[in-house]
Amino acid sequence: MEVFVPFSTDRPKSRLSGVLTPDERAAFAHAMLRDVLDAISGAGGEPRVLATGAVDADLPCPVTVDDRPLTDAVNAVLDARLGSGGKAEGDEEPVAVVMADLALATPESLRELFAAGREADVAIAPGRGGGTNALVVSRPEFRVDYHGASYLDHHRIADEIDASVAVVDSHRLATDADEPADLAELLIHAEADDEADGGRAARWLRDAGFALDATDGRVGIGRE
Ligand SMILES: Nc1nc2c(ncn2[C@@H]2O[C@H](COP(=O)(O)OP(=O)(O)OP(=O)(O)O)[C@@H](O)[C@H]2O)c(=O)[nH]1
Ligand SMILES: C[C@H](OP(=O)(O)O)C(=O)O
């Protein structure tokens, strides 16, 4: 299955600006992207980065550059892959879209997503807060509408075309690294899965001096 990974190269991760400088946000975003690409390959998917601009590093997969807003760029991909390309309806291989900031994604969690996407017309892994962290689409009429409560919007869009929806209830796929509190989530699970050392993103955070901090009884992050 082809798996498109949207990746913003300009001012990525602005909601982390209170804890990371612009260069640090770019480096951290890149570390997460690499982890997500590895997890997709580990799950048997074929990753393709869908970037807003040239990616300033070697990546282990093809990169498509499309500087349109996220929704338009993803819809162009869905149209190209599932649209009237001469295939009979029902013959299309599903297409997946997995965000580049799912730093906890594992091959197992993505295999579950891909399997759901082979059973239903649309499979959605919601993000906390109403986003759509990952989805798999096999119906050519389906279109994405990201931002806001996109999880609800994607249910509505699927209903409008009478498409079946599978919801993938996965803590790992629901955790996107948007806010400083999400960095604590990443460090917690990296520590629990320690044989893999938590991947590049968790290593990047540790090397940058971040650690869990529970001094006031709640778990957060601190930096040396
Ligand atoms: N191709 C593409 N990817 C995008 C665009 N905007 C965001 N992304 C990617 O989509 C995923 C979800 O992005 P968000 O969390 O909404 O935005 P972000 O830029 O990562 O972070 P914030 O600036 O804090 O909102 C991430 O993988 C981003 O790299 C865009 O306009 N085009
Ligand atoms: C792209 C957007 O991501 P969020 O801003 O919720 O992280 C969404 O999932 O609709």
Side-chain angles (χ1 to χ4, degrees), residues 121-169:
D121 296 329
V122 180
I124 309 178
R128 276 179 292 116
T132 302
N133 282 357
L135 88 168
V136 183
V137 179
S138 53
R139 285 280 293 274
E141 319 92 287
F142 185 84
R143 288 292 173 269
V144 294
D145 184 2
Y146 284 108
H147 300 301
S150 64
Y151 173 59
L152 297 177
D153 292 332
H154 291 146
H155 270 285
R156 181 181 47 74
I157 293 164
D159 278 351
E160 282 167 6
I161 61 167
D162 214 12
S164 60
V165 176
V167 176
V168 180
D169 181 7

Side-chain angles (χ1 to χ4, degrees), residues 6-8 11-16 50-52 66 68-70 73 99-101 147 176 178:
F7 184 64
S8 170
R11 291 183 291 112
K13 294 288 127 214
S14 59
R15 284 170 280 176
L16 294 175
L50 178 61
T52 51
D66 187 333
R68 285 176 287 182
L70 177 63
M99 294 312 187
D101 55 359
H147 300 301
D176 43 349
D178 285 336

Side-chain angles (χ1 to χ4, degrees), residues 25-221:
R25 297 203 300 273
F28 178 59
H30 188 261
M32 290 196 289
L33 171 67
R34 290 298 305 267
D35 285 343
V36 168
L37 297 177
D38 286 352
I40 292 168
S41 299
E46 295 166 48
R48 287 181 170 269
V49 175
L50 178 61
T52 51
V55 182
D56 192 15
D58 279 345
L59 290 176
C61 72
V63 178
T64 301
V65 174
D66 187 333
D67 65 2
R68 285 176 287 182
L70 177 63
T71 293
D72 296 337
V74 171
N75 280 331
V77 160
L78 295 180
D79 195 38
R81 293 304 195 273
L82 300 173
S84 51
K87 290 178 196 144
E89 195 170 323
D91 278 358
E92 298 86 1
E93 166 78 358
V95 176
V97 181
V98 173
M99 294 312 187
D101 55 359
L102 306 189
L104 292 182
T106 53
E108 295 69 31
S109 57
L110 289 167
R111 267 196 286 271
E112 189 191 343
L113 171 80
F114 300 159
R118 292 188 188 284
E119 295 298 318
D121 296 329
V122 180
I124 309 178
R128 276 179 292 116
T132 302
N133 282 357
L135 88 168
V136 183
V137 179
S138 53
R139 285 280 293 274
E141 319 92 287
F142 185 84
R143 288 292 173 269
V144 294
D145 184 2
Y146 284 108
H147 300 301
S150 64
Y151 173 59
L152 297 177
D153 292 332
H154 291 146
H155 270 285
R156 181 181 47 74
I157 293 164
D159 278 351
E160 282 167 6
I161 61 167
D162 214 12
S164 60
V165 176
V167 176
V168 180
D169 181 7
S170 161
H171 171 257
R172 286 186 173 276
L173 298 183
T175 306
D176 43 349
D178 285 336
E179 314 271 352
D182 301 322
L183 305 185
E185 201 67 27
L186 174 51
L187 289 177
I188 288 167
H189 290 280
E191 191 171 320
D193 311 337
D194 62 357
E195 94 270 0
D197 207 19
R200 288 179 178 81
R203 277 200 299 280
W204 188 92
L205 284 177
R206 289 199 200 103
D207 291 349
F210 286 96
L212 292 171
D213 177 4
T215 44
D216 68 358
R218 287 167 196 271
V219 182
I221 48 160

